[in-house]
Amino acid sequence: EDRKEILKIHMRGKPFSPDVNVDNVAKKTVGFSGADIENMLNESAILAARNERTAIFPADVEEAALKVTMGSERRTLQNDQEKKVVAYHEAGHALVSSNVEDMDPVHRVSIIARGGSLGHTSFPPERDRYNETKTRLMSMVATMLGGRAAEEIIFNEMTVGAASDIQKATSLVRKMITEYGMSSLGPVSLDGRGDNPWLVREMGQGNSYSEETASLIDVEVKRTLNDALDKAKNILTQKKETLDRIAQRLLEKETIDSDEYLSLLDPK
């Protein structure tokens, strides 16, 4: 409700089409700050004006939300094979997310480059969350590695396009182990800062645990990531026909919305 009020405040005085529904926009902006919402709505007005429209339509709001979160659309000079790799990579993210527990629904899959990314798969949260379970976090890790899993299955190859996914997955898994106590190492804080992080940083001291414990953490991080990657590979192997179908549609249309994506999951 607070987000809706912020939206209404920043929508005042702008020529929004009746098709722009506040409830729908609110769902797209879960996790947005007040400044993000203001930037998004201002950007949507700029897009409408740039295209010489007298009203702001839902497509303008959608594009503005993507620009705020991911950067401007950019066209690349990719060859057909490179596009195919990106299509399978993004299809892998989407299909894994649809087959693990507690993930939000896929909202959009695209192979149009934005910012530093060659494509993107978005599953914005359906609601504000104030806590996370280990099950959901592991599903997020498997989804992050779904792109790499698809590359290995389809092309028997790896690309640098998974670098950001791997970095995010590794960071999340390390937090699960060292801060959240979600591993076989038990419910102990191993974030390395001790009770006085500022003093430790000023004195240049290292981790507050032994080298043996550091080694155990590294082993646990690697095992957890490999388990998540194996899970992603198993899902995509079992559903390869669906993976092919999604990737092919991406090559044809470049962007798939939630309704079309659901139809590809169950073409019958």
Side-chain angles (χ1 to χ4, degrees):
E1 291 301 321
D2 289 342
R3 193 162 54 253
K4 288 182 185 179
E5 290 304 314
I6 294 173
L7 280 166
K8 289 176 182 177
I9 289 170
H10 291 297
M11 289 175 74
R12 288 174 190 162
K14 295 182 177 69
F16 282 94
S17 160
D19 294 335
V20 176
N21 182 284
V22 174
D23 289 335
N24 290 339
V25 177
K27 290 178 182 178
K28 299 178 191 296
T29 56
V30 173
F32 277 40
S33 67
D36 289 335
I37 291 173
E38 181 179 12
N39 289 339
M40 179 192 72
L41 296 177
N42 287 341
E43 185 62 37
S44 68
I46 292 170
L47 287 169
R50 188 176 296 154
N51 288 283
E52 299 182 346
R53 288 192 293 271
T54 57
I56 302 167
F57 290 96
D60 297 316
V61 179
E62 182 80 22
E63 175 62 26
L66 285 170
K67 188 171 182 179
V68 167
T69 55
M70 300 197 64
S72 299
E73 178 181 319
R74 59 185 176 85
R75 290 293 168 176
T76 59
L77 299 176
Q78 295 173 299
N79 60 36
D80 290 344
Q81 179 63 16
E82 288 171 333
K83 287 183 179 178
K84 187 176 180 180
V85 171
V86 176
Y88 271 98
H89 184 104
E90 296 305 329
H93 283 311
L95 191 51
V96 170
S97 76
S98 297
N99 287 276
V100 289
E101 296 180 77
D102 296 343
M103 285 295 292
D104 293 296
V106 171
H107 173 65
R108 167 192 288 245
V109 191
S110 177
I111 58 172
I112 296 175
R114 285 182 178 276
S117 173
L118 293 175
H120 68 274
T121 301
S122 61
F123 11 73
E126 293 188 297
R127 59 180 177 82
D128 292 305
R129 283 187 170 86
Y130 303 98
N131 204 354
E132 296 286 8
T133 64
K134 180 180 178 181
T135 297
R136 178 172 152 81
L137 293 178
M138 284 304 302
S139 291
M140 291 169 64
V141 174
T143 297
M144 290 172 187
L145 299 178
R148 166 54 62 85
E151 292 175 3
E152 292 189 24
I153 290 169
I154 302 299
F155 306 103
N156 192 29
E157 184 60 279
M158 302 177 188
T159 75
V160 299
S164 177
D165 300 327
I166 293 170
Q167 187 274 325
K168 291 175 183 175
T170 303
S171 177
L172 177 53
V173 168
R174 189 167 288 275
K175 283 179 178 292
M176 290 172 66
I177 293 166
T178 62
E179 296 183 35
Y180 311 150
M182 294 178 176
S183 79
S184 61
L185 298 183
V188 57
S189 176
L190 298 166
D191 64 5
R193 295 176 299 179
D195 295 327
N196 197 333
W198 299 110
L199 181 60
V200 168
R201 193 174 299 126
E202 288 171 8
M203 295 178 65
Q205 295 179 7
N207 293 328
S208 60
Y209 47 77
S210 67
E211 290 185 11
E212 180 182 0
T213 299
S215 179
L216 290 173
I217 292 171
D218 289 340
V219 169
E220 191 73 5
V221 168
K222 183 177 180 181
R223 182 194 64 77
T224 304
L225 289 169
N226 283 334
D227 285 350
L229 180 61
D230 287 343
K231 184 170 186 175
K233 285 182 179 179
N234 288 337
I235 290 169
L236 299 182
T237 299
Q238 292 171 15
K239 298 183 176 293
K240 184 177 177 300
E241 288 186 7
T242 306
L243 179 67
D244 291 336
R245 195 158 52 240
I246 297 169
Q248 185 57 42
R249 188 63 60 85
L250 282 169
L251 288 170
E252 294 168 0
K253 295 189 64 177
E254 293 190 319
T255 297
I256 301 172
D257 64 18
S258 56
D259 290 338
E260 186 167 12
Y261 173 74
L262 287 175
S263 73
L264 293 170
L265 289 182
D266 186 10
K268 297 178 183 180

